[in-house]
Amino acid sequence: KVITKMAAEGIVKDVGEIHARLLDHRPVLQGEIKCFIREFEGKRNHREEERLEAVLGHAQQMGHTIPACTRLMEDNLAQVIAHLKVATSMCEKISEMEESLAKTDPLKDRREERQKEWDEFMVEQVGRSAEVDREHEILCDNIREQHRLKEEKLKEGKVSLP
């Protein structure tokens, strides 16, 4: 019995190992997953290193460029300020001249005078036109009266036709 029991335990153990090797894929999958993760992290780290090196290069380039720009700005700042002051004073003078011209505009005074003359002329023309219309109406009335009288005389036989 003892030998059989041991033999049976050995057989169960062997069957378990065979079963684990044939049907249990966990150790193989774990190995594949660890390999994939190592590869992925290695590539990612390589890309991150390249990006960091590029950023470092840009920072170093800016470290050289910024002082040169600062010096250039400091050298030309006084000149730019002087030009701005000149431009500002010129603008102020132009503005003052425009204001003074707007206050005493000789053309504006002449325009207003001509407008007054024109208005007076138009009033006079309207008056003359009305007078001419009245005279015309009177003459038309006189001619009508003459024609009426001539027609009456013709009817009476006092006037002969030429």
Side-chain angles (χ1 to χ4, degrees):
K1 277 189 170 182
V2 175
I3 296 180
T4 1
K5 199 175 189 184
M6 284 189 162
E9 283 180 7
I11 291 174
V12 169
K13 186 177 177 185
D14 288 342
V15 168
E17 283 181 24
I18 292 172
H19 177 271
R21 286 185 183 175
L22 290 176
L23 301 175
D24 190 13
H25 301 294
R26 276 184 269 168
V28 174
L29 287 176
Q30 287 176 350
E32 288 293 322
I33 290 172
K34 286 179 182 176
C35 180
F36 174 77
I37 290 174
R38 259 189 313 234
E39 244 181 80
F40 180 75
E41 287 179 349
K43 288 180 182 178
R44 189 180 83 193
N45 285 340
H46 184 66
R47 281 190 306 239
E48 288 179 0
E49 283 178 18
E50 288 175 354
R51 289 180 185 155
L52 287 174
E53 287 175 4
V55 168
L56 179 63
H58 289 301
Q60 288 174 345
Q61 184 180 5
M62 290 171 71
H64 296 297
T65 306
I66 290 176
C69 290
T70 306
R71 268 185 265 112
L72 184 63
M73 183 184 71
E74 288 172 352
D75 293 344
N76 293 324
L77 187 61
Q79 185 181 6
V80 169
I81 290 173
H83 287 305
L84 285 174
K85 285 181 181 178
V86 169
T88 304
S89 67
M90 290 174 72
C91 289
E92 288 173 355
K93 286 179 184 178
I94 291 171
S95 177
E96 289 172 2
M97 286 185 354
E98 285 181 355
E99 286 177 9
S100 67
L101 287 175
K103 288 178 182 175
T104 57
D105 186 10
L107 294 177
K108 183 179 178 186
D109 294 340
R110 288 188 212 145
R111 278 190 217 110
E112 289 174 359
E113 187 178 321
R114 282 195 306 272
Q115 185 64 40
K116 286 178 186 175
E117 289 175 3
W118 179 257
D119 292 340
E120 290 172 7
F121 173 75
M122 289 306 292
V123 167
E124 185 180 320
Q125 289 302 315
V126 167
R128 285 184 181 173
S129 176
E131 186 180 327
V132 168
D133 288 344
R134 280 191 301 270
E135 289 177 7
H136 177 338
E137 191 62 38
I138 291 171
L139 287 174
C140 284
D141 288 343
N142 287 342
I143 291 173
R144 279 191 211 108
E145 183 63 28
Q146 285 178 0
H147 281 293
R148 189 185 59 78
L149 289 174
K150 289 216 180 210
E151 281 182 13
E152 284 178 9
K153 286 182 183 180
L154 271 176
K155 286 181 187 176
E156 294 175 2
K158 292 184 182 176
V159 174
S160 61
L161 291 173

